Every structure is written in C-alpha cells, then in structure tokens.
Amino acid sequence: MRIAILGAHKVGKTTLAEALLEYLPGYALEAEPYYQLESSGYEFSAIPTADDFMEQFNYSAKLISKSEDDVIFDRCVLDILAYLHVIEPRRDIQLLFEAAQKVIAEIDLFVFVPIEVPDPIPGHQADLPRLRAQVDDLLHDWIADFGIEAIEVSGTLPNRINQVLAKLS
C-alpha cells in the first residue's frame, strides 16, 4: 500500500510518518522531497519560490511513480502544488493539476494533517503563518476537487496513529 501524508508545514506530518513505521513493519519512508533534494545538493531560496516548488513537484511525481508497495510518502504532489499555487497564484497550473491527478491515482491512502487550534504540537511557532494557513485552506478544497478519499487526522500523535491504523484495518 502507498500512503501519502499531506498538509501544510509544521503540522506533524514527518512525526506521524516516522511513528507509523513502528506499526507498519516492512514499510519504507520516502522523506519530504525538499530534504531529499537539499541532501543531493539542490540549493533552495531563503524565501520559498515557485521554482523551488516546481522542483519538488517534479521530484515527488518521480518518487511516487517509481515506488513500490508498502511506502509512506512525507508530502506528495498535491500539497506541493498547493504551495506553488499560493506562492504564484497567477501561474497557469492546469497541466500540473492534470499531472498531479495521474500521480495521485497511484496512492492508496491519503492522510491529511490539518492545522489545529490549539496546536497539539507544543512549543513551536510556525514559519510563514499566512502561507501555512492559505495552503491548509487550499488543501481542504482540493481534496474535495480531486475527489480524493482522504482521512483527516487530529489530536495527539497517538490519536493520529490510531486514526490511520483504524483506516488500514
């Protein structure tokens, strides 16, 4: 099964993905494309740019397309496309939207981690809060627009894990 965890930044996607590995033996984790690209030498701008998100979108699409079963993706093309659209709203993303639909069809389960108030992850302040909120809002809309069956998790990390595991069983 291919599982994609999506959401805005600083909502606990990576924490959830890493924790799920303990409960899903045999699964591999595909780290967020940003980190994979950065470790391979790609230099991101200090302030996120559309080019940075295009690079991540293409990388994510390739990761998903070449992946095998039993993998958890920390981010996928949908949330990266949402960032691109928020950063550069006048850009025509129709072709990217269509490409995303093809890649999305290869995912078996989407786990959406929305922004929660109050934030269940104590002690952190989100970077770029306006961008974070806009991406969160857009993802809520796009999950419906794409016709994606996604589970929306909330609460503490153990609660989120249990929500995913319940869906899998």
Side-chain angles (χ1 to χ4, degrees), residues 64-75:
I64 293 168
S65 293
K66 73 175 189 171
S67 73
E68 302 201 9
D69 287 337
D70 298 339
V71 63
I72 299 170
F73 297 96
D74 183 358
R75 277 211 190 286

Side-chain angles (χ1 to χ4, degrees), residues 1-167:
M1 176 171 277
R2 295 176 185 169
I3 302 168
I5 300 178
L6 57 130
H9 57 283
K10 305 285 187 186
V11 293
K13 292 179 310 302
T14 302
T15 302
L16 176 59
E18 290 171 348
L20 284 170
L21 289 176
E22 295 177 34
Y23 297 89
L24 300 171
Y27 272 73
L29 174 63
E30 282 291 353
E32 188 172 328
Y34 176 93
Y35 297 119
Q36 290 192 44
L37 285 165
E38 186 179 54
S39 71
S40 70
Y42 183 87
E43 291 189 31
F44 287 96
S45 303
I47 297 173
T49 68
D51 289 341
D52 290 340
F53 286 109
M54 277 301 305
E55 196 70 31
Q56 291 175 72
F57 179 88
N58 292 327
Y59 191 86
S60 178
K62 287 177 191 168
L63 275 178
I64 293 168
S65 293
K66 73 175 189 171
S67 73
E68 302 201 9
D69 287 337
D70 298 339
V71 63
I72 299 170
F73 297 96
D74 183 358
R75 277 211 190 286
C76 77
V77 293
L78 188 62
D79 44 357
I80 296 168
L81 186 58
Y83 273 97
L84 176 64
H85 187 60
V86 169
I87 294 245
E88 198 173 281
R90 292 193 176 115
R91 177 184 281 228
D92 182 2
I93 62 166
Q94 185 60 40
L95 291 177
L96 294 173
F97 202 80
E98 292 168 10
Q101 284 180 307
K102 290 177 185 170
V103 173
I104 285 169
E106 299 182 44
I107 301 294
D108 300 302
L109 175 64
F110 289 90
V111 178
F112 177 47
V113 184
I115 295 172
E116 291 183 64
V117 179
D119 195 330
I121 304 168
H124 87 277
Q125 295 293 324
D127 300 332
L128 305 169
R130 185 167 178 248
L131 174 64
R132 182 177 185 244
Q134 290 174 313
V135 167
D136 186 72
D137 289 343
L138 189 55
L139 284 171
H140 278 283
D141 293 342
W142 279 5
I143 287 170
D145 291 349
F146 273 98
I148 294 171
E149 183 181 333
I151 64 166
E152 185 173 316
V153 297
S154 61
T156 64
L157 179 59
N159 288 347
R160 293 174 178 191
I161 293 167
N162 288 336
Q163 291 164 37
V164 174
L165 296 177
K167 179 67 177 179

